[in-house]
Amino acid sequence: MKIDAVTIFPEYFAPLSLSLIGKAQESGLLEVAIHDLRSFTSDNHHSVDDTPYGGGAGMVMKPEIWGQALDPLMKPETDLIILTPAGRRFNQKMAHTLSQSEHLVFACGRYEGIDARVGQHYAAQGFRVHEVSIGDYVLGGGEVASLVMIEAITRLLPGVLGNPDSLIEESHVEEGFLEYPNYTKPAIWRDLSVPDILLSGNHGAIATWRGEQAQRRAQEQS
Ligand code: ADE
């Protein structure tokens, strides 16, 4: 998979060289390129935003600059992801769908967001355009949201996780069930014991207990 991200803060993406995503790049499973939006400006101030038509607080990111940055990245196989708190909510199902893509382009808006015509333009050109939010809160920009999505998506790529069984075990997250509680050694820590059933060696009973626990957690949080 190839990932491009366009941002005015390329340094935000430094963590992508760490851990599983860093290793996936080293082994060639994943290629990541970060592009500085300001490098596509032609004025002395390198300005990327302007006041909104119709008035109101804040600034809006200019469409021409985004066009310059995105045009060379867009290919028939590209999924363009525009991060915005007004977008469709990101979830595990979307992560699976996007993990099938060959090429993701993340457009990270700041301020009051990117001029609405940018997404409109690429959709009209026949590209797959997704306006995505990672949750019902407003971040300072799309950079952190992109990192969240990139981590959730790339760990689903074949070969990225050390133990692919983890993906099978967590599949129920998609069906609305949260994970069951996990324990490791020691069996007693600060007077708290691991549930007896987990020490029983009875795999059928353990599976049933875990299912019940996961369901209970899901009910408690809904
Ligand atoms: N930009 C600002 N807030 C955001 C959010 N919640 N999700 C995605 N992008 C954002």
Side-chain angles (χ1 to χ4, degrees), residues 122-150:
Y122 290 105
Q125 301 276 306
F127 291 105
R128 291 185 295 277
V129 178
H130 316 264
E131 292 200 334
V132 182
S133 163
I134 63 159
D136 280 344
Y137 38 77
V138 181
L139 300 165
E143 286 77 8
V144 171
S146 295
L147 286 174
V148 166
M149 289 185 65
I150 291 170

mmCIF file of all heavy atoms in Angstrom, residues 122-150:
data_model
loop_
_atom_site.group_PDB
_atom_site.id
_atom_site.type_symbol
_atom_site.label_atom_id
_atom_site.label_comp_id
_atom_site.label_asym_id
_atom_site.label_seq_id
_atom_site.Cartn_x
_atom_site.Cartn_y
_atom_site.Cartn_z
ATOM 1 N N TYR A 122 -12.763 16.538 -7.078
ATOM 2 C CA TYR A 122 -12.181 15.209 -7.334
ATOM 3 C C TYR A 122 -13.268 14.141 -7.449
ATOM 4 O O TYR A 122 -13.118 13.192 -8.221
ATOM 5 C CB TYR A 122 -11.120 14.864 -6.279
ATOM 6 C CG TYR A 122 -9.883 15.728 -6.471
ATOM 7 C CD1 TYR A 122 -9.623 16.794 -5.608
ATOM 8 C CD2 TYR A 122 -9.024 15.526 -7.544
ATOM 9 C CE1 TYR A 122 -8.524 17.622 -5.802
ATOM 10 C CE2 TYR A 122 -7.933 16.337 -7.764
ATOM 11 C CZ TYR A 122 -7.678 17.390 -6.881
ATOM 12 O OH TYR A 122 -6.603 18.211 -7.107
ATOM 13 N N ALA A 123 -14.373 14.322 -6.725
ATOM 14 C CA ALA A 123 -15.480 13.370 -6.869
ATOM 15 C C ALA A 123 -16.061 13.482 -8.283
ATOM 16 O O ALA A 123 -16.338 12.467 -8.935
ATOM 17 C CB ALA A 123 -16.546 13.634 -5.813
ATOM 18 N N ALA A 124 -16.189 14.716 -8.770
ATOM 19 C CA ALA A 124 -16.733 14.921 -10.122
ATOM 20 C C ALA A 124 -15.802 14.350 -11.191
ATOM 21 O O ALA A 124 -16.246 13.961 -12.274
ATOM 22 C CB ALA A 124 -16.984 16.407 -10.375
ATOM 23 N N GLN A 125 -14.511 14.280 -10.880
ATOM 24 C CA GLN A 125 -13.532 13.685 -11.811
ATOM 25 C C GLN A 125 -13.578 12.155 -11.776
ATOM 26 O O GLN A 125 -12.807 11.511 -12.467
ATOM 27 C CB GLN A 125 -12.105 14.104 -11.419
ATOM 28 C CG GLN A 125 -11.852 15.596 -11.402
ATOM 29 C CD GLN A 125 -11.525 16.112 -12.787
ATOM 30 O OE1 GLN A 125 -10.627 15.605 -13.422
ATOM 31 N NE2 GLN A 125 -12.283 17.071 -13.257
ATOM 32 N N GLY A 126 -14.417 11.613 -10.918
ATOM 33 C CA GLY A 126 -14.571 10.158 -10.852
ATOM 34 C C GLY A 126 -13.708 9.481 -9.801
ATOM 35 O O GLY A 126 -13.655 8.259 -9.724
ATOM 36 N N PHE A 127 -13.021 10.279 -8.950
ATOM 37 C CA PHE A 127 -12.196 9.680 -7.890
ATOM 38 C C PHE A 127 -13.071 9.288 -6.701
ATOM 39 O O PHE A 127 -14.134 9.859 -6.484
ATOM 40 C CB PHE A 127 -11.121 10.670 -7.421
ATOM 41 C CG PHE A 127 -10.059 10.919 -8.443
ATOM 42 C CD1 PHE A 127 -10.033 12.110 -9.159
ATOM 43 C CD2 PHE A 127 -9.096 9.960 -8.706
ATOM 44 C CE1 PHE A 127 -9.050 12.341 -10.113
ATOM 45 C CE2 PHE A 127 -8.108 10.187 -9.661
ATOM 46 C CZ PHE A 127 -8.091 11.378 -10.366
ATOM 47 N N ARG A 128 -12.570 8.337 -5.928
ATOM 48 C CA ARG A 128 -13.265 7.974 -4.679
ATOM 49 C C ARG A 128 -12.837 8.970 -3.605
ATOM 50 O O ARG A 128 -11.645 9.046 -3.270
ATOM 51 C CB ARG A 128 -12.910 6.549 -4.248
ATOM 52 C CG ARG A 128 -13.486 5.484 -5.167
ATOM 53 C CD ARG A 128 -13.204 4.080 -4.627
ATOM 54 N NE ARG A 128 -11.793 3.783 -4.626
ATOM 55 C CZ ARG A 128 -11.112 3.342 -5.683
ATOM 56 N NH1 ARG A 128 -11.739 3.141 -6.831
ATOM 57 N NH2 ARG A 128 -9.823 3.101 -5.596
ATOM 58 N N VAL A 129 -13.784 9.748 -3.113
ATOM 59 C CA VAL A 129 -13.503 10.789 -2.118
ATOM 60 C C VAL A 129 -14.290 10.460 -0.853
ATOM 61 O O VAL A 129 -15.483 10.197 -0.916
ATOM 62 C CB VAL A 129 -13.914 12.191 -2.646
ATOM 63 C CG1 VAL A 129 -13.659 13.251 -1.588
ATOM 64 C CG2 VAL A 129 -13.171 12.520 -3.941
ATOM 65 N N HIS A 130 -13.590 10.452 0.297
ATOM 66 C CA HIS A 130 -14.253 10.146 1.572
ATOM 67 C C HIS A 130 -14.008 11.304 2.538
ATOM 68 O O HIS A 130 -12.861 11.614 2.835
ATOM 69 C CB HIS A 130 -13.668 8.878 2.211
ATOM 70 C CG HIS A 130 -13.463 7.757 1.243
ATOM 71 N ND1 HIS A 130 -14.380 6.740 1.074
ATOM 72 C CD2 HIS A 130 -12.439 7.483 0.385
ATOM 73 C CE1 HIS A 130 -13.921 5.893 0.152
ATOM 74 N NE2 HIS A 130 -12.749 6.327 -0.269
ATOM 75 N N GLU A 131 -15.063 11.923 3.009
ATOM 76 C CA GLU A 131 -14.916 12.914 4.081
ATOM 77 C C GLU A 131 -15.104 12.156 5.388
ATOM 78 O O GLU A 131 -16.141 11.522 5.600
ATOM 79 C CB GLU A 131 -15.954 14.014 3.945
ATOM 80 C CG GLU A 131 -15.718 14.867 2.730
ATOM 81 C CD GLU A 131 -16.394 16.220 2.802
ATOM 82 O OE1 GLU A 131 -17.407 16.332 3.522
ATOM 83 O OE2 GLU A 131 -15.893 17.152 2.150
ATOM 84 N N VAL A 132 -14.087 12.171 6.245
ATOM 85 C CA VAL A 132 -14.094 11.290 7.409
ATOM 86 C C VAL A 132 -13.808 12.063 8.701
ATOM 87 O O VAL A 132 -12.941 12.932 8.741
ATOM 88 C CB VAL A 132 -13.047 10.156 7.251
ATOM 89 C CG1 VAL A 132 -13.083 9.209 8.447
ATOM 90 C CG2 VAL A 132 -13.265 9.380 5.960
ATOM 91 N N SER A 133 -14.554 11.706 9.748
ATOM 92 C CA SER A 133 -14.309 12.218 11.108
ATOM 93 C C SER A 133 -13.904 11.039 11.990
ATOM 94 O O SER A 133 -14.434 9.939 11.829
ATOM 95 C CB SER A 133 -15.594 12.833 11.663
ATOM 96 O OG SER A 133 -15.498 12.968 13.068
ATOM 97 N N ILE A 134 -12.984 11.254 12.924
ATOM 98 C CA ILE A 134 -12.651 10.134 13.818
ATOM 99 C C ILE A 134 -13.479 10.157 15.094
ATOM 100 O O ILE A 134 -13.365 9.258 15.927
ATOM 101 C CB ILE A 134 -11.143 10.042 14.145
ATOM 102 C CG1 ILE A 134 -10.638 11.275 14.901
ATOM 103 C CG2 ILE A 134 -10.336 9.786 12.901
ATOM 104 C CD1 ILE A 134 -9.354 11.003 15.668
ATOM 105 N N GLY A 135 -14.317 11.174 15.292
ATOM 106 C CA GLY A 135 -15.154 11.178 16.491
ATOM 107 C C GLY A 135 -15.829 12.526 16.665
ATOM 108 O O GLY A 135 -15.480 13.498 15.994
ATOM 109 N N ASP A 136 -16.788 12.554 17.588
ATOM 110 C CA ASP A 136 -17.578 13.766 17.796
ATOM 111 C C ASP A 136 -16.859 14.757 18.689
ATOM 112 O O ASP A 136 -17.286 15.005 19.830
ATOM 113 C CB ASP A 136 -18.939 13.405 18.404
ATOM 114 C CG ASP A 136 -19.879 12.908 17.323
ATOM 115 O OD1 ASP A 136 -19.582 13.130 16.131
ATOM 116 O OD2 ASP A 136 -20.902 12.297 17.676
ATOM 117 N N TYR A 137 -15.756 15.270 18.219
ATOM 118 C CA TYR A 137 -15.010 16.322 18.907
ATOM 119 C C TYR A 137 -14.209 17.043 17.841
ATOM 120 O O TYR A 137 -14.005 16.516 16.750
ATOM 121 C CB TYR A 137 -14.083 15.743 19.982
ATOM 122 C CG TYR A 137 -13.441 14.454 19.584
ATOM 123 C CD1 TYR A 137 -12.357 14.461 18.696
ATOM 124 C CD2 TYR A 137 -13.944 13.233 20.032
ATOM 125 C CE1 TYR A 137 -11.788 13.272 18.287
ATOM 126 C CE2 TYR A 137 -13.375 12.045 19.613
ATOM 127 C CZ TYR A 137 -12.308 12.069 18.750
ATOM 128 O OH TYR A 137 -11.750 10.895 18.322
ATOM 129 N N VAL A 138 -13.781 18.270 18.151
ATOM 130 C CA VAL A 138 -13.083 19.059 17.136
ATOM 131 C C VAL A 138 -11.604 19.127 17.481
ATOM 132 O O VAL A 138 -11.221 19.607 18.548
ATOM 133 C CB VAL A 138 -13.692 20.476 17.027
ATOM 134 C CG1 VAL A 138 -12.960 21.274 15.948
ATOM 135 C CG2 VAL A 138 -15.173 20.392 16.710
ATOM 136 N N LEU A 139 -10.787 18.610 16.579
ATOM 137 C CA LEU A 139 -9.329 18.665 16.742
ATOM 138 C C LEU A 139 -8.808 19.943 16.085
ATOM 139 O O LEU A 139 -9.518 20.610 15.346
ATOM 140 C CB LEU A 139 -8.708 17.449 16.056
ATOM 141 C CG LEU A 139 -9.156 16.086 16.584
ATOM 142 C CD1 LEU A 139 -8.768 14.982 15.616
ATOM 143 C CD2 LEU A 139 -8.563 15.845 17.960
ATOM 144 N N GLY A 140 -7.544 20.240 16.329
ATOM 145 C CA GLY A 140 -6.929 21.420 15.714
ATOM 146 C C GLY A 140 -6.713 21.245 14.220
ATOM 147 O O GLY A 140 -6.503 22.216 13.501
ATOM 148 N N GLY A 141 -6.757 20.024 13.750
ATOM 149 C CA GLY A 141 -6.552 19.759 12.330
ATOM 150 C C GLY A 141 -6.636 18.273 12.065
ATOM 151 O O GLY A 141 -6.843 17.474 12.992
ATOM 152 N N GLY A 142 -6.448 17.898 10.815
ATOM 153 C CA GLY A 142 -6.630 16.502 10.438
ATOM 154 C C GLY A 142 -5.416 15.606 10.649
ATOM 155 O O GLY A 142 -5.490 14.407 10.390
ATOM 156 N N GLU A 143 -4.294 16.179 11.150
ATOM 157 C CA GLU A 143 -3.063 15.371 11.241
ATOM 158 C C GLU A 143 -3.212 14.195 12.212
ATOM 159 O O GLU A 143 -2.898 13.051 11.877
ATOM 160 C CB GLU A 143 -1.877 16.247 11.659
ATOM 161 C CG GLU A 143 -1.358 17.169 10.571
ATOM 162 C CD GLU A 143 -2.235 18.407 10.351
ATOM 163 O OE1 GLU A 143 -3.177 18.632 11.144
ATOM 164 O OE2 GLU A 143 -1.973 19.140 9.399
ATOM 165 N N VAL A 144 -3.674 14.488 13.430
ATOM 166 C CA VAL A 144 -3.815 13.419 14.433
ATOM 167 C C VAL A 144 -4.873 12.411 13.968
ATOM 168 O O VAL A 144 -4.703 11.189 14.119
ATOM 169 C CB VAL A 144 -4.147 14.010 15.820
ATOM 170 C CG1 VAL A 144 -4.513 12.923 16.802
ATOM 171 C CG2 VAL A 144 -2.961 14.815 16.342
ATOM 172 N N ALA A 145 -5.924 12.913 13.358
ATOM 173 C CA ALA A 145 -6.975 12.022 12.838
ATOM 174 C C ALA A 145 -6.390 11.094 11.761
ATOM 175 O O ALA A 145 -6.701 9.900 11.727
ATOM 176 C CB ALA A 145 -8.130 12.846 12.275
ATOM 177 N N SER A 146 -5.516 11.635 10.913
ATOM 178 C CA SER A 146 -4.887 10.788 9.880
ATOM 179 C C SER A 146 -4.033 9.710 10.523
ATOM 180 O O SER A 146 -4.038 8.558 10.082
ATOM 181 C CB SER A 146 -3.977 11.618 8.967
ATOM 182 O OG SER A 146 -4.726 12.540 8.245
ATOM 183 N N LEU A 147 -3.289 10.085 11.562
ATOM 184 C CA LEU A 147 -2.440 9.095 12.238
ATOM 185 C C LEU A 147 -3.276 7.957 12.806
ATOM 186 O O LEU A 147 -2.914 6.784 12.706
ATOM 187 C CB LEU A 147 -1.636 9.755 13.365
ATOM 188 C CG LEU A 147 -0.464 10.645 12.938
ATOM 189 C CD1 LEU A 147 0.129 11.349 14.153
ATOM 190 C CD2 LEU A 147 0.610 9.836 12.227
ATOM 191 N N VAL A 148 -4.401 8.329 13.411
ATOM 192 C CA VAL A 148 -5.306 7.301 13.966
ATOM 193 C C VAL A 148 -5.758 6.354 12.856
ATOM 194 O O VAL A 148 -5.686 5.124 12.977
ATOM 195 C CB VAL A 148 -6.535 7.966 14.638
ATOM 196 C CG1 VAL A 148 -7.640 6.962 14.926
ATOM 197 C CG2 VAL A 148 -6.114 8.696 15.910
ATOM 198 N N MET A 149 -6.193 6.923 11.751
ATOM 199 C CA MET A 149 -6.689 6.087 10.647
ATOM 200 C C MET A 149 -5.573 5.230 10.056
ATOM 201 O O MET A 149 -5.771 4.045 9.780
ATOM 202 C CB MET A 149 -7.296 6.976 9.548
ATOM 203 C CG MET A 149 -8.610 7.613 9.965
ATOM 204 S SD MET A 149 -9.371 8.540 8.612
ATOM 205 C CE MET A 149 -9.754 7.243 7.437
ATOM 206 N N ILE A 150 -4.397 5.832 9.878
ATOM 207 C CA ILE A 150 -3.281 5.090 9.270
ATOM 208 C C ILE A 150 -2.908 3.893 10.151
ATOM 209 O O ILE A 150 -2.669 2.784 9.665
ATOM 210 C CB ILE A 150 -2.072 6.026 9.032
ATOM 211 C CG1 ILE A 150 -2.410 7.021 7.920
ATOM 212 C CG2 ILE A 150 -0.809 5.223 8.678
ATOM 213 C CD1 ILE A 150 -1.394 8.154 7.753
#
